[in-house]
């Protein structure tokens, strides 16, 4: 009799635990989706405002870029829903084919890609611009997580640690630097370090690899004149306010004009060809101008909430692969937002990296929303933290 009572009590305790985990998973999923959708809506509104003058100038249509972004949002929502329904373990099986597809996309960029600003980063497919480097971020995370999980018991030795990291990250980095795109290369390296940090690899070796990567990034930054110009513009923009420091200074003016409450939605003055790339990598400056300090801090707060929810998903992931996959996706979105906002605020060098979910760019938007769908799927299958 006592044994039966104990068994019933255990069953009830386990059922309550499962219900509590499901409730917690649903809360995390809600935060992820709500925050991302708010950022997408903000991005649509600010794209409409920031790109209106460029749209008139390039296509005689003030809503030209807004309509393209709206199409991207529609496709992104479909991709998000599909990705959230596909069990994340599926990506373990397709990790290598997905990586090969990425390489097949990155190589033609160097040969027939559209050149803009001295770099080849886009392929024109059916009249649409596609940026393979966006897919490279996701495929790198997936393959690195799959390989590290497979070698989990052997990561104490340098050979088993360096070979997968060198193969995956090195291949992507070389192709990105050929474009050239140092900003995305640095982001890929940082995200790879985040994945390694939650892997079974020894912490001191991960730190050493991170230091080597940081030194390599600094050397690459000083290896080209145009990158040196960006560094000069970052360190002392006022020394050459009409050239290297122009974009950053105009971003300062936009943020300063916004004050606390902003000049009003759609009332930006910086968008009138004062601020270059206002609707892409400097859209945060337009947000600060139109909605003020309150709006800018709200956007930063949303990204912090997204990062916290993402780390929670990684902590509750059912297995090592899910943990590394969730960490990589969260790190990708979080660090990309940090690099973009840091560049606009002048605390980091300008890299040309877009603000996730907000900046104009359909490829970046669709891949980010797809990655969010994968994160949602991991969240739904998560166990006890």
């Amino acid at each position: 009799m006592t044994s039966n009572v104990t068994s019933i009590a255990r069953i009830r305790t386990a059922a309550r635990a499962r219900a509590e985990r499901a409730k917690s998973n649903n809360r995390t999923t809600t935060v992820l989706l709500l925050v991302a959708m708010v950022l997408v809506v903000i991005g649509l509104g600010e794209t409409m405002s920031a790109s209106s003058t460029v749209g008139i100038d390039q296509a005689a249509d003030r809503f030209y870029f807004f309509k393209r972004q709206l199409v991207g949002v529609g496709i992104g929502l479909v991709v998000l829903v599909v990705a959230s329904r596909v069990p994340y373990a599926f990506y373990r099986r397709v990790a290598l084919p997905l990586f090969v597809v990425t390489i097949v996309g990155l190589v033609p960029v160097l040969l027939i890609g559209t050149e803009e600003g001295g770099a080849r980063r886009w392929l024109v497919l059916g009249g649409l611009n596609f940026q393979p480097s966006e897919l490279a971020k996701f495929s790198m995370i997936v393959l690195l997580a799959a390989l590290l999980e497979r070698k989990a018991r052997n990561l104490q030795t340098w050979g088993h640690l360096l070979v997968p990291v060198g193969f995956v990250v090195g291949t992507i980095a070389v192709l990105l630097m050929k474009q050239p795109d140092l900003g995305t290369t640095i982001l890929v390296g940082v995200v790879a370090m985040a994945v390694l940090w939650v892997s079974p690899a020894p912490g001191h070796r991960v730190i050493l690899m991170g230091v080597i990567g940081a030194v390599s990034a600094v050397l690459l930054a000083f290896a080209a004149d145009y990158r040196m110009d960006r560094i000069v513009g970052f360190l002392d923009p006022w020394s050459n306010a009409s050239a290297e420091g122009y974009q950053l200074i105009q971003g300062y003016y936009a943020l300063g004009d916004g004050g606390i409450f902003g000049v009003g939605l759609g009332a930006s003055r910086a968008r009138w060809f004062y601020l270059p790339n206002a609707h892409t990598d400097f859209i945060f400056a337009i947000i600060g101008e139109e909605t003020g300090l309150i709006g800018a801090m709200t956007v930063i707060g949303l990204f912090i909430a997204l990062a916290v929810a993402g780390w929670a998903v990684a902590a509750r992931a059912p297995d090592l692969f899910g943990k590394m996959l969730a960490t990589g996706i969260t790190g990708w979105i979080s660090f990309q937002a940090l690099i973009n906002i840091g560049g606009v605020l002048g605390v980091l060098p300008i890299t040309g990296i877009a603000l996730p979910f907000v900046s104009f760019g359909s490829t970046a938007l669709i891949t980010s929303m797809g990655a969010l769908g994968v994160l949602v799927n991991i969240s739904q299958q998560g166990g006890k933290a």
Side-chain angles (χ1 to χ4, degrees):
M1 184 67 178
T2 303
S3 177
N4 291 336
V5 172
T6 303
S7 298
I8 293 173
R10 287 177 178 174
I11 293 172
R12 288 177 176 175
T13 301
R16 283 195 297 268
R18 286 195 298 270
E20 183 60 32
R21 287 197 295 270
K23 187 177 179 180
S24 179
N25 293 340
N26 289 335
R27 283 197 298 265
T28 305
T29 299
T30 300
V31 171
L32 286 172
L33 293 174
L34 182 61
V35 169
M37 291 306 103
V38 171
L39 287 170
V40 168
V41 171
I42 291 173
L44 282 173
E46 292 302 329
T47 295
M48 180 188 294
S49 174
S51 67
S52 58
T53 54
V54 183
I56 294 172
D57 180 59
Q58 295 185 6
D61 181 2
R62 62 177 298 186
F63 299 114
Y64 174 73
F65 292 98
F66 169 75
K67 288 185 286 190
R68 290 178 59 185
Q69 189 75 343
L70 196 60
V71 171
V73 170
I75 298 173
L77 286 173
V78 174
V79 173
L80 190 158
V81 172
V82 172
S84 67
R85 301 297 178 88
V86 176
Y88 72 87
F90 166 78
Y91 300 101
R92 182 191 286 114
R93 298 194 298 270
V94 300
L96 186 56
L98 182 63
F99 187 78
V100 172
V101 169
T102 300
I103 301 303
V104 171
L106 286 173
V107 171
V109 170
L110 306 177
L111 304 175
I112 59 173
T114 302
E115 185 172 347
E116 184 175 330
R120 292 182 181 272
R121 300 176 186 173
W122 294 268
L123 286 176
V124 179
L125 302 174
L128 299 176
N129 288 339
F130 173 69
Q131 195 169 1
S133 60
E134 294 298 329
L135 181 60
K137 300 170 188 174
F138 180 69
S139 66
M140 182 275 296
I141 294 169
V142 172
L143 184 56
L144 189 61
L147 292 176
L148 291 176
E149 182 191 44
R150 186 177 303 174
K151 290 180 170 289
R153 296 181 179 180
N154 302 315
L155 293 179
Q156 305 298 321
T157 60
W158 273 112
H160 287 282
L161 180 60
L162 289 176
V163 170
V165 176
F167 169 69
V168 179
V169 182
T171 302
I172 295 292
V174 168
L175 291 173
L176 288 177
M177 287 306 300
K178 288 290 185 179
Q179 292 183 3
D181 188 353
L182 179 59
T184 303
T185 303
I186 292 174
L187 177 62
V188 165
V190 171
V191 173
M193 289 301 104
V195 174
L196 279 168
W197 188 254
V198 298
S199 75
H204 66 280
R205 293 186 177 178
V206 176
I207 293 174
L208 178 59
M209 293 171 68
V211 171
I212 294 173
V215 172
S216 301
V218 172
L219 294 176
L220 287 171
F222 285 94
D225 291 339
Y226 79 93
R227 295 188 201 122
M228 281 292 297
D229 291 339
R230 284 189 176 184
I231 294 174
V232 171
F234 159 66
L235 294 175
D236 188 9
W238 304 100
S239 64
N240 198 343
S242 62
E244 290 84 3
Y246 179 79
Q247 186 178 30
L248 182 56
I249 291 174
Q250 293 302 318
Y252 286 160
Y253 287 151
L255 291 168
D257 286 344
I260 296 178
F261 300 104
V263 299
L265 296 176
S268 168
R269 290 183 285 270
R271 63 177 175 168
W272 291 93
F273 304 108
Y274 292 106
L275 178 62
N277 304 318
H279 61 301
T280 52
D281 49 306
F282 257 68
I283 198 168
F284 185 76
I286 302 298
I287 293 173
E289 181 185 17
E290 294 191 346
T291 63
L293 178 64
I294 293 176
M297 292 304 297
T298 298
V299 170
I300 293 175
L302 288 170
F303 278 110
I304 292 175
L306 192 65
V308 172
W311 297 128
V313 172
R316 290 197 296 265
D319 55 26
L320 180 59
F321 177 72
K323 181 179 183 178
M324 290 188 288
L325 185 58
T327 299
I329 293 173
T330 303
W332 161 16
I333 296 173
S334 304
F335 288 123
Q336 183 165 328
L338 175 65
I339 293 172
N340 175 274
I341 294 174
V344 174
L345 297 179
V347 297
L348 292 172
I350 298 172
T351 60
I353 287 180
L355 186 61
F357 303 113
V358 180
S359 292
F360 170 78
S362 296
T363 305
L365 180 62
I366 293 169
T367 52
S368 297
M369 294 180 75
L372 181 71
V374 177
L375 200 58
V376 167
N377 184 264
I378 300 173
S379 174
Q380 291 298 298
Q381 300 185 46
K384 187 176 180 181

